[in-house]
Structures are given as C-alpha cells and as structure tokens.
Amino acid sequence: QVQLVESGGGLVQAGGSLRLSCAASGRTVSSSTMGWFRQAPGKEREVVAQITRSAGVTYYANSVKGRFTISRDNAKNTVYLQMNSLKPEDTAVYYCAVATDGRYEFWGQGTQVTVSS
C-alpha cells in the first residue's frame, strides 16, 4: 500500500504560481511512474502531467505545456508540480497518483487550486 498526501494548493490570481507537492509513504515510489491529475466541477478527471521513475520521460497535457513542470525527488519519495502563469481554467482539485503494472493504482485525497480572474 502507498499513501499519498498532496499539499500546496490554494487561491491565486491569474498569472500567479503555485507549487504542489505529493509525499508518498508506505513504500518507496522511486521505481514507479507518477502523475498529476485534475478534476474541475462538472468535468471528468484529466491527466495533467506524468513522470517516469528515472525522470527521463515526462508528459504534459497540451493545456499546460510550457506553464507546468513536473519533477520528483526520489530520496524524499516526493513528486512536485510547479504551476506558472495560472489561468482561471486551471481551477480544479489536483490529485497525484502512483502507477503500478501500467495503471494508476494509488491516489491522494486531492488539493484544491483556485485561480481568480
């Protein structure tokens, strides 16, 4: 079992920045792909960014490319999401997740990000 705890969400004005953190416990996640997802009210959950265990490969949704950066610190069992140039449409609950055997199995409780215009 893996427990994930997100932090760093909050209220920010458009154009501002936030840094989300996701700390894992229970077992090391250094060998796992990790991802950030978000879900806005009335919308389906969508992937925002993913990072492989070696951090050699990353993926970003088109809507956040050039503004968000995913990174990981395997020594701290933590993954981060740096969000710059935030837009009102980035408002959502953000979740981190850990993949095992090719699918995301463990999820955090989510952290709210609200971007005001």
Side-chain angles (χ1 to χ4, degrees):
Q1 283 283 5
V2 178
Q3 293 78 45
L4 301 172
V5 179
E6 301 99 334
S7 61
L11 173 64
V12 65
Q13 290 187 334
S17 298
L18 285 173
R19 187 193 194 204
L20 305 183
S21 298
C22 173
S25 62
R27 67 168 175 85
T28 182
V29 294
S30 60
S31 61
S32 304
T33 292
M34 299 187 72
W36 284 97
F37 297 75
R38 67 186 181 187
Q39 186 166 21
K43 295 187 177 181
E44 292 187 353
R45 185 173 59 195
E46 61 176 352
V47 61
V48 175
Q50 299 180 99
I51 187 167
T52 61
R53 61 182 181 179
S54 65
V57 178
T58 56
Y59 164 85
Y60 296 95
N62 286 335
S63 57
V64 306
K65 278 182 181 177
R67 300 188 298 122
F68 290 12
T69 302
I70 189 171
S71 62
R72 66 191 301 163
D73 185 336
N74 286 335
K76 295 183 178 180
N77 233 21
T78 300
V79 65
Y80 305 96
L81 186 67
Q82 178 67 44
M83 306 186 295
N84 299 327
S85 302
L86 282 161
K87 305 176 181 180
E89 51 264 43
D90 294 318
T91 295
V93 178
Y94 284 71
Y95 301 89
C96 70
V98 176
T100 57
D101 296 327
R103 68 180 184 92
Y104 284 97
E105 182 175 2
F106 301 103
W107 295 81
Q109 83 290 346
T111 186
Q112 176 70 47
V113 171
T114 303
V115 184
S116 63
S117 57

